[in-house]
Amino acid sequence: MTSFTLIEKIIRNRTDVSDDEIYPNNIVWVNLDLVTARDYAGPQVIDLFQKNYTGSKTFNNEKIIFTPDCYPYGNDPKHAKDQEKIRVFAKEHGIKVTDLGSGIGSHLLFRRGFSKPGDIAIGADSHYNILGALGILGQGAGDVMLAFALKTGKSWIKIPETVKVILKGDYEWPTTAKDLALYVLKELHEYGITGKAVEFYGEIIDKLSIEERVTLCSLITEASGVIGFVPDDKITADYYSEIGIEIEMLSADEDARYVSELVLDIQDLGQYIACPPHPHNVKKIEEVIGTPINSIIIGSCTNGSSADIHDVAKILKGHKINPDVRFGIVPATREDFVSINLNGDMTIILESGGNFFGAGCSTCANGQYGLTGGETAVTLTTGNRNTQGKIGPADVYLASPVVAAATAIEGKIAAPKEVVKR
Amino acid sequence: MSKETIKAKAKLVIVDDVDTDQIFHQSLLTIHDPNEIKPHIFGNLEGYKSFGKEDNVGKILLVGKNFGKGSTRQQAVTGFIAHGITAIVGESFGPIYYSNSVNSGLLLVEVPGISEFKVKEDDDLEIDITQSLIINQNNGETIKCVKIPQPVLDIIKAGGLLKLGEIM
């Protein structure tokens, strides 16, 4: 085989084996560009490293970052000690730490240029594959693999088959990238992409910002896929150029071998919402309009960027959040916090009755901001998982920032158009 | 393990879609000691509940399709290592189970159509890990496996991923 899909190409560039070893389902060693760990699992990785490789150095301290993002400002002794362990180890080995309040590790990787298209990066985060939005092969990894990677700079990977997904058509506001992501999740879950990679194509891609592409790729995990890629283009190149990095654009070969091709019609796509108890239980919003909601969270690696918070501010401007609703915003990164401060969105939301919390993973990290309490506290978040019991014992819905904002005003699930019209 | 071949008797558990909860139930999650895990292996799999108390030291376990599907559960690997199982041969494995096993140094071998081969309980098998072949010495049958990938060979020969890290 001489032609390759995007993931095959990235792996091929990062392995020492010959081209005839690059085929779906084969397992190969890869050389990693970046190894990260955070306050969830990071301390266990350090324990394993110290126990197995006593006195050893890491493979390359400049290719490792610790990104504590799960438990900002350790509100209990256990996590505070875990975070300290990370700082002590990092100092000893000369490793960079993006410490509490910096934000979600996976986002910092592209925001701050720690990782670039064509790279392979691993971390203890099952949503590391959001990096596929920038042509980076990001993968979650377990404690043992990460400890091994800290020592050797390598990991093994099973080369997945790739499904080519063509998004046909266009949509208009108030439909957003989250609705697209939810719709795509619903379709791909049904189609079956377990253990497979996806490449996204279609004219709509040219219109999606980096943040919107991240949103689109962030729900591939919920369909049991390996990663979703948006092939590098001018938008990717411009994004990196602004932070002073020139990228080499990678694309799949024209005659690359895909396991299948799927065309999804997204013309005039409506708005979607994931209903309990699974992320893939995606319904048209019309089916659940009016469901009472009393806790709303804006945040996560799916929808926690300043662009997402701007969507919220546009709808909340001049309105008050329903007194029955607690409304929390957890910006994805410090950079997002700065942006919404500068453009006035933060003031608009505060005046409406919203509350801001330190940048980080928000509700998706069990135990962080967003715990809702008892069985009567029904939640709507812009995140990516609605697993029962994760945020609270009651139901959890997943929706776009615009739906979340409209719902905040009404106190029940609402479509933004109706609210704005008033 | 540094040998290129594994010779052992076969132990058959040819059941499809065995979940990690059927290998080691989630109600036992607080148990981490390998010797305490051992008696509970297959404690939730109908027909094989006595496995945990049997002596299967050194045997090769033959399983069905999609073995070890479901939640990540290290005990569902540790338990077989505690039993002294030398390798698990199956039609296919759950992806998380596959990586947990290999990283722990337990060899998993995939064989398409495993149930069509005439392997009987306690047959003498020989796995040639570099040629990816299994020879049944009782009936002379040669079973072709999916090629065991180089990283898996490296890890198994070192005795696990973390052990391999010591020499890399």
Side-chain angles (χ1 to χ4, degrees):
Chain A
M1 194 202 284
T2 50
S3 49
F4 299 102
T5 63
L6 203 44
I7 194 162
E8 288 167 352
K9 236 176 201 181
I10 295 173
I11 291 171
R12 177 180 178 243
N13 290 344
R14 297 288 186 270
T15 184
D16 306 323
V17 302
S18 63
D19 279 1
D20 54 14
E21 290 283 308
I22 308 294
Y23 58 87
N25 296 319
N26 193 22
I27 292 175
V28 293
W29 288 114
V30 290
N31 302 312
L32 300 166
D33 297 281
L34 194 63
V35 181
T36 74
R38 49 189 191 157
D39 42 354
Y40 166 79
Q44 289 72 33
V45 172
I46 291 172
D47 286 346
L48 284 173
F49 183 91
Q50 290 176 326
K51 190 178 150 214
N52 288 278
Y53 311 125
T54 314
S56 293
K57 283 187 178 172
T58 60
F59 78 105
N60 181 348
N61 60 341
E62 288 178 3
K63 289 187 170 188
I64 302 168
I65 307 178
F66 287 107
T67 61
D69 53 14
C70 291
Y71 306 98
Y73 285 90
N75 54 356
D76 68 70
K78 184 190 177 296
H79 295 124
K81 276 185 185 165
D82 277 355
Q83 289 164 347
E84 187 202 16
K85 182 179 276 185
I86 287 173
R87 290 183 202 109
V88 170
F89 182 85
K91 199 156 222 174
E92 187 189 327
H93 289 269
I95 294 166
K96 188 197 291 290
V97 180
T98 58
D99 216 327
L100 303 183
S102 302
I104 306 172
S106 60
H107 276 243
L108 295 173
L109 258 49
F110 58 89
R111 292 290 174 90
R112 300 188 182 174
F114 298 141
S115 189
K116 60 182 192 314
D119 279 1
I120 303 182
I122 65 170
D125 179 347
S126 62
H127 288 105
Y128 245 44
N129 54 9
I130 67 166
L131 296 164
L134 299 109
I136 300 165
L137 175 48
Q139 285 290 281
D143 305 1
V144 169
M145 188 74 100
L146 286 172
F148 172 82
L150 283 188
K151 171 70 165 43
T152 64
K154 290 177 189 289
S155 74
W156 57 266
I157 187 165
K158 186 172 191 172
I159 303 171
E161 295 176 319
T162 299
V163 179
K164 186 174 189 177
V165 175
I166 298 160
L167 303 172
K168 211 174 160 197
D170 200 352
Y171 56 78
E172 279 177 17
W173 196 91
T175 294
T176 66
K178 181 58 167 288
D179 301 293
L180 175 64
L182 286 167
Y183 177 74
V184 167
L185 163 61
K186 174 178 178 281
E187 294 296 315
L188 291 184
H189 187 272
E190 207 175 293
Y191 185 73
I193 57 159
T194 301
K196 296 185 172 79
V198 165
E199 287 176 17
F200 287 114
Y201 296 94
E203 282 170 25
I204 187 74
I205 298 292
D206 300 338
K207 299 184 183 174
L208 298 180
S209 67
I210 292 296
E211 287 79 7
E212 290 170 319
R213 293 173 177 196
V214 166
T215 303
L216 171 64
C217 295
S218 71
L219 298 183
I220 291 295
T221 300
E222 309 327 311
S224 304
V226 171
I227 191 166
F229 283 107
V230 174
D232 303 331
D233 59 8
K234 189 171 178 302
I235 293 172
T236 327
D238 288 349
Y239 184 87
Y240 273 95
S241 174
E242 266 182 39
I243 49 174
I245 295 172
E246 293 309 311
I247 63 160
E248 201 180 311
M249 284 202 249
L250 271 185
S251 56
D253 290 324
E254 261 182 38
D255 49 352
R257 295 218 292 220
Y258 295 96
V259 62
S260 57
E261 190 175 306
L262 177 69
V263 179
L264 295 178
D265 181 5
I266 58 157
Q267 187 60 42
D268 301 324
L269 192 72
Q271 290 170 275
Y272 287 84
I273 187 160
C275 300
H278 301 293
H280 61 257
N281 187 22
V282 174
K283 294 181 179 167
K284 286 193 160 184
I285 193 167
E286 290 77 14
E287 292 181 46
V288 287
I289 285 237
T291 306
I293 297 288
N294 41 31
S295 173
I296 296 177
I297 301 288
I298 309 293
S300 85
C301 58
T302 293
N303 280 120
S305 73
S306 55
D308 295 316
I309 298 168
H310 187 60
D311 274 347
V312 171
K314 274 194 296 194
I315 289 174
L316 287 186
K317 192 169 187 179
H319 292 275
K320 289 282 179 214
I321 287 162
N322 190 292
D324 288 340
V325 174
R326 295 175 306 286
F327 193 82
I329 300 102
V330 187
T333 65
R334 182 178 297 276
E335 286 81 344
D336 294 304
F337 235 134
V338 172
S339 300
I340 58 168
N341 202 358
L342 288 174
N343 68 10
D345 286 344
M346 199 169 166
T347 308
I348 292 170
I349 295 170
L350 283 169
E351 282 178 350
S352 299
N355 307 289
F356 285 86
F357 300 95
C361 286
S362 83
T363 51
C364 303
N366 195 356
Q368 218 222 78
Y369 310 120
L371 286 177
T372 55
E375 285 171 10
T376 63
V378 179
T379 300
L380 185 148
T381 114
T382 63
N384 42 48
R385 283 201 185 127
N386 58 353
T387 316
Q388 199 96 29
K390 193 163 177 141
I391 311 179
D395 286 348
V396 179
Y397 294 83
L398 310 174
S400 73
V402 289
V403 168
T407 301
I409 297 169
E410 296 282 311
K412 53 194 181 193
I413 294 175
K417 234 174 198 166
E418 296 170 18
V419 177
V420 171
K421 264 190 224 156
R422 272 185 207 165
Chain B
M1 191 192 72
S2 57
K3 286 182 294 185
E4 304 295 308
T5 58
I6 298 168
K7 285 183 187 175
K9 288 193 179 298
K11 169 71 192 172
L12 270 54
V13 184
I14 310 276
V15 182
D16 289 344
D17 298 308
V18 174
D19 193 283
T20 48
D21 262 322
Q22 291 171 296
I23 302 173
F24 188 83
H25 195 258
Q26 61 168 344
S27 61
L28 306 164
L29 274 184
T30 51
I31 302 175
H32 294 286
D33 181 332
N35 284 319
E36 287 180 46
I37 294 169
K38 204 177 151 184
H40 297 290
I41 290 296
F42 290 137
N44 197 31
L45 182 64
E46 214 48 61
Y48 298 92
K49 290 184 176 175
S50 61
F51 183 97
K53 289 164 193 78
E54 293 169 10
D55 178 4
N56 289 305
V57 175
K59 288 189 183 174
I60 294 169
L61 191 68
L62 264 69
V63 299
K65 270 183 209 159
N66 203 15
F67 184 80
K69 74 185 184 94
S71 308
T72 180
R73 188 144 317 147
Q74 195 60 41
Q75 292 98 323
V77 173
T78 309
F80 291 118
I81 296 173
H83 270 281
I85 293 291
T86 46
I88 306 181
V89 177
E91 172 105 23
S92 61
F93 297 92
I96 302 172
Y97 191 79
Y98 188 90
S99 53
N100 284 345
S101 290
V102 168
N103 287 345
S104 300
L106 178 61
L107 177 64
L108 301 189
V109 182
E110 290 180 304
V111 178
I114 180 103
S115 54
E116 288 154 32
F117 292 97
K118 299 173 196 80
V119 183
K120 295 193 297 292
E121 188 92 1
D122 285 326
D123 272 1
D124 292 292
L125 302 181
E126 183 181 327
I127 306 178
D128 181 333
I129 67 167
T130 45
Q131 300 295 318
S132 303
L133 290 173
I134 302 174
I135 298 147
N136 185 342
Q137 293 176 329
N138 292 62
N139 62 11
E141 199 169 41
T142 299
I143 302 170
K144 204 168 178 308
C145 317
V146 172
K147 187 186 148 214
I148 303 171
Q150 191 59 44
V152 175
L153 290 177
D154 296 342
I155 295 164
I156 297 300
K157 284 178 183 172
L161 187 69
L162 288 170
K163 285 252 166 59
L164 180 64
E166 291 174 15
I167 53 171
M168 270 177 88

PDB file of all heavy atoms in Angstrom, chain A residues 286-301:
ATOM      1  N   GLU A 286     -37.288  20.101  19.898  1.00  0.00           N
ATOM      2  CA  GLU A 286     -38.750  20.221  19.987  1.00  0.00           C
ATOM      3  C   GLU A 286     -39.368  19.140  20.870  1.00  0.00           C
ATOM      4  O   GLU A 286     -40.407  19.337  21.488  1.00  0.00           O
ATOM      5  CB  GLU A 286     -39.389  20.154  18.575  1.00  0.00           C
ATOM      6  CG  GLU A 286     -39.130  21.373  17.708  1.00  0.00           C
ATOM      7  CD  GLU A 286     -37.730  21.425  17.103  1.00  0.00           C
ATOM      8  OE1 GLU A 286     -37.023  20.396  17.136  1.00  0.00           O
ATOM      9  OE2 GLU A 286     -37.334  22.511  16.607  1.00  0.00           O
ATOM     10  N   GLU A 287     -38.697  17.980  20.929  1.00  0.00           N
ATOM     11  CA  GLU A 287     -39.255  16.855  21.697  1.00  0.00           C
ATOM     12  C   GLU A 287     -39.177  17.056  23.208  1.00  0.00           C
ATOM     13  O   GLU A 287     -39.872  16.371  23.962  1.00  0.00           O
ATOM     14  CB  GLU A 287     -38.518  15.548  21.333  1.00  0.00           C
ATOM     15  CG  GLU A 287     -38.783  15.091  19.916  1.00  0.00           C
ATOM     16  CD  GLU A 287     -38.053  13.794  19.602  1.00  0.00           C
ATOM     17  OE1 GLU A 287     -38.096  12.857  20.421  1.00  0.00           O
ATOM     18  OE2 GLU A 287     -37.415  13.732  18.533  1.00  0.00           O
ATOM     19  N   VAL A 288     -38.309  17.979  23.645  1.00  0.00           N
ATOM     20  CA  VAL A 288     -38.147  18.142  25.104  1.00  0.00           C
ATOM     21  C   VAL A 288     -38.357  19.585  25.562  1.00  0.00           C
ATOM     22  O   VAL A 288     -38.120  19.913  26.726  1.00  0.00           O
ATOM     23  CB  VAL A 288     -36.754  17.652  25.584  1.00  0.00           C
ATOM     24  CG1 VAL A 288     -36.684  16.146  25.557  1.00  0.00           C
ATOM     25  CG2 VAL A 288     -35.635  18.269  24.777  1.00  0.00           C
ATOM     26  N   ILE A 289     -38.812  20.445  24.678  1.00  0.00           N
ATOM     27  CA  ILE A 289     -39.060  21.852  25.045  1.00  0.00           C
ATOM     28  C   ILE A 289     -40.001  21.897  26.259  1.00  0.00           C
ATOM     29  O   ILE A 289     -40.976  21.158  26.315  1.00  0.00           O
ATOM     30  CB  ILE A 289     -39.684  22.612  23.845  1.00  0.00           C
ATOM     31  CG1 ILE A 289     -38.583  22.864  22.828  1.00  0.00           C
ATOM     32  CG2 ILE A 289     -40.411  23.874  24.268  1.00  0.00           C
ATOM     33  CD1 ILE A 289     -38.324  24.262  22.434  1.00  0.00           C
ATOM     34  N   GLY A 290     -39.651  22.730  27.220  1.00  0.00           N
ATOM     35  CA  GLY A 290     -40.515  22.883  28.390  1.00  0.00           C
ATOM     36  C   GLY A 290     -40.099  22.039  29.586  1.00  0.00           C
ATOM     37  O   GLY A 290     -40.664  22.180  30.665  1.00  0.00           O
ATOM     38  N   THR A 291     -39.090  21.153  29.409  1.00  0.00           N
ATOM     39  CA  THR A 291     -38.628  20.341  30.545  1.00  0.00           C
ATOM     40  C   THR A 291     -37.974  21.253  31.592  1.00  0.00           C
ATOM     41  O   THR A 291     -37.052  21.989  31.265  1.00  0.00           O
ATOM     42  CB  THR A 291     -37.590  19.296  30.063  1.00  0.00           C
ATOM     43  OG1 THR A 291     -38.161  18.552  29.003  1.00  0.00           O
ATOM     44  CG2 THR A 291     -37.179  18.371  31.198  1.00  0.00           C
ATOM     45  N   PRO A 292     -38.454  21.239  32.839  1.00  0.00           N
ATOM     46  CA  PRO A 292     -37.869  22.119  33.858  1.00  0.00           C
ATOM     47  C   PRO A 292     -36.390  21.793  34.116  1.00  0.00           C
ATOM     48  O   PRO A 292     -36.013  20.627  34.203  1.00  0.00           O
ATOM     49  CB  PRO A 292     -38.697  21.832  35.119  1.00  0.00           C
ATOM     50  CG  PRO A 292     -39.949  21.199  34.616  1.00  0.00           C
ATOM     51  CD  PRO A 292     -39.564  20.447  33.381  1.00  0.00           C
ATOM     52  N   ILE A 293     -35.590  22.846  34.203  1.00  0.00           N
ATOM     53  CA  ILE A 293     -34.142  22.717  34.444  1.00  0.00           C
ATOM     54  C   ILE A 293     -33.792  23.673  35.582  1.00  0.00           C
ATOM     55  O   ILE A 293     -34.244  24.824  35.580  1.00  0.00           O
ATOM     56  CB  ILE A 293     -33.345  23.128  33.182  1.00  0.00           C
ATOM     57  CG1 ILE A 293     -33.631  22.219  31.994  1.00  0.00           C
ATOM     58  CG2 ILE A 293     -31.828  23.197  33.480  1.00  0.00           C
ATOM     59  CD1 ILE A 293     -33.059  20.812  32.074  1.00  0.00           C
ATOM     60  N   ASN A 294     -32.971  23.222  36.540  1.00  0.00           N
ATOM     61  CA  ASN A 294     -32.601  24.177  37.588  1.00  0.00           C
ATOM     62  C   ASN A 294     -31.105  24.316  37.849  1.00  0.00           C
ATOM     63  O   ASN A 294     -30.685  24.991  38.767  1.00  0.00           O
ATOM     64  CB  ASN A 294     -33.354  23.905  38.892  1.00  0.00           C
ATOM     65  CG  ASN A 294     -33.450  22.431  39.186  1.00  0.00           C
ATOM     66  OD1 ASN A 294     -32.568  21.675  38.815  1.00  0.00           O
ATOM     67  ND2 ASN A 294     -34.535  22.027  39.823  1.00  0.00           N
ATOM     68  N   SER A 295     -30.298  23.666  37.011  1.00  0.00           N
ATOM     69  CA  SER A 295     -28.856  23.885  37.114  1.00  0.00           C
ATOM     70  C   SER A 295     -28.282  23.878  35.704  1.00  0.00           C
ATOM     71  O   SER A 295     -28.541  22.954  34.931  1.00  0.00           O
ATOM     72  CB  SER A 295     -28.226  22.775  37.948  1.00  0.00           C
ATOM     73  OG  SER A 295     -26.823  22.893  37.905  1.00  0.00           O
ATOM     74  N   ILE A 296     -27.542  24.925  35.371  1.00  0.00           N
ATOM     75  CA  ILE A 296     -26.983  25.029  34.015  1.00  0.00           C
ATOM     76  C   ILE A 296     -25.490  25.330  34.120  1.00  0.00           C
ATOM     77  O   ILE A 296     -25.068  26.186  34.903  1.00  0.00           O
ATOM     78  CB  ILE A 296     -27.703  26.114  33.191  1.00  0.00           C
ATOM     79  CG1 ILE A 296     -29.177  25.723  33.001  1.00  0.00           C
ATOM     80  CG2 ILE A 296     -27.019  26.326  31.842  1.00  0.00           C
ATOM     81  CD1 ILE A 296     -30.016  26.732  32.261  1.00  0.00           C
ATOM     82  N   ILE A 297     -24.711  24.582  33.327  1.00  0.00           N
ATOM     83  CA  ILE A 297     -23.260  24.783  33.322  1.00  0.00           C
ATOM     84  C   ILE A 297     -22.782  25.054  31.895  1.00  0.00           C
ATOM     85  O   ILE A 297     -23.104  24.294  30.976  1.00  0.00           O
ATOM     86  CB  ILE A 297     -22.519  23.528  33.849  1.00  0.00           C
ATOM     87  CG1 ILE A 297     -22.950  23.179  35.275  1.00  0.00           C
ATOM     88  CG2 ILE A 297     -21.004  23.724  33.767  1.00  0.00           C
ATOM     89  CD1 ILE A 297     -22.447  24.115  36.336  1.00  0.00           C
ATOM     90  N   ILE A 298     -22.033  26.136  31.743  1.00  0.00           N
ATOM     91  CA  ILE A 298     -21.368  26.409  30.470  1.00  0.00           C
ATOM     92  C   ILE A 298     -19.899  26.082  30.686  1.00  0.00           C
ATOM     93  O   ILE A 298     -19.250  26.674  31.559  1.00  0.00           O
ATOM     94  CB  ILE A 298     -21.475  27.905  30.076  1.00  0.00           C
ATOM     95  CG1 ILE A 298     -22.918  28.404  30.150  1.00  0.00           C
ATOM     96  CG2 ILE A 298     -20.837  28.168  28.712  1.00  0.00           C
ATOM     97  CD1 ILE A 298     -23.856  27.821  29.146  1.00  0.00           C
ATOM     98  N   GLY A 299     -19.372  25.139  29.933  1.00  0.00           N
ATOM     99  CA  GLY A 299     -17.964  24.790  30.111  1.00  0.00           C
ATOM    100  C   GLY A 299     -17.600  23.514  29.397  1.00  0.00           C
ATOM    101  O   GLY A 299     -18.361  23.031  28.552  1.00  0.00           O
ATOM    102  N   SER A 300     -16.422  22.969  29.716  1.00  0.00           N
ATOM    103  CA  SER A 300     -15.862  21.713  29.188  1.00  0.00           C
ATOM    104  C   SER A 300     -15.034  21.934  27.927  1.00  0.00           C
ATOM    105  O   SER A 300     -15.073  22.994  27.329  1.00  0.00           O
ATOM    106  CB  SER A 300     -16.954  20.675  28.881  1.00  0.00           C
ATOM    107  OG  SER A 300     -17.488  20.894  27.595  1.00  0.00           O
ATOM    108  N   CYS A 301     -14.321  20.853  27.543  1.00  0.00           N
ATOM    109  CA  CYS A 301     -13.499  20.926  26.322  1.00  0.00           C
ATOM    110  C   CYS A 301     -14.371  20.954  25.082  1.00  0.00           C
ATOM    111  O   CYS A 301     -13.899  21.257  23.994  1.00  0.00           O
ATOM    112  CB  CYS A 301     -12.497  19.775  26.280  1.00  0.00           C
ATOM    113  SG  CYS A 301     -13.225  18.131  26.342  1.00  0.00           S
TER     114      CYS A 301
END
